Amino acid sequence: MKGQGGRTYARLAKSIHVRWECKYHIVIIPKYRKRVLYGKLKKHVGEVIREVCRQRGIDLIEGHLMPEHIHMCLSIPPKQSVAFAIGFIKGKSAVRIHRQILGKKKVTGLHFWSGDIASARLG
């Protein structure tokens, strides 16, 4: 089945009543833009973010870890806002990074990511 512009609907993700393709390019940075994403954190941060995305139903299509930021191409379902999805990813990954990788057991004050993000819609 073909739509306008010759695009095929068969390759689009689908929900009960919707076929969708919502891809976003997201860039997140650590607090104070510290270069902490290499070394022992490099392997683990990627795993943590993949797991958090899977938990929320977000497809991590592609990701690149740089010394001071992360580029991600995410496919976010239309029922979730981009701000909510990014807030969830940043919040849950910060807690997991502190607890699993850095070994801190505090309940509050587990900041890892800056409050800023850059996002752009793809397609």
Side-chain angles (χ1 to χ4, degrees), residues 78-112:
K79 65 182 178 180
Q80 296 181 26
S81 72
V82 176
F84 175 79
I86 299 305
F88 183 85
I89 291 169
K90 288 171 64 175
K92 294 295 182 185
S93 65
V95 170
R96 287 188 185 182
I97 288 168
H98 279 284
R99 289 189 180 160
Q100 294 175 359
I101 302 168
L102 302 177
K104 296 181 181 176
K105 301 293 182 191
K106 295 190 326 184
V107 177
T108 59
L110 299 178
H111 303 289
F112 188 79

Side-chain angles (χ1 to χ4, degrees), residues 2-3 19-21 25 35 42 45-47 57 71 97 113-114 120:
K2 293 228 179 204
R19 290 193 181 265
W20 55 276
E21 182 179 45
H25 176 234
R35 294 176 172 255
K42 181 177 181 176
V45 169
E47 292 172 359
H71 288 271
I97 288 168
W113 303 110
S114 169

Side-chain angles (χ1 to χ4, degrees), residues 1-4 6-15 18-21:
M1 181 179 192
K2 293 228 179 204
Q4 290 180 338
R7 297 182 82 183
T8 309
Y9 288 128
R11 69 179 181 88
L12 299 177
K14 63 181 177 179
S15 188
V18 179
R19 290 193 181 265
W20 55 276
E21 182 179 45

Side-chain angles (χ1 to χ4, degrees), residues 47-66:
E47 292 172 359
V48 166
I49 289 179
R50 264 188 237 101
E51 175 62 27
V52 170
C53 286
R54 186 199 57 76
Q55 182 181 9
R56 199 72 198 148
I58 299 169
D59 292 331
L60 179 60
I61 298 168
E62 189 176 350
H64 295 284
L65 196 65
M66 303 296 172

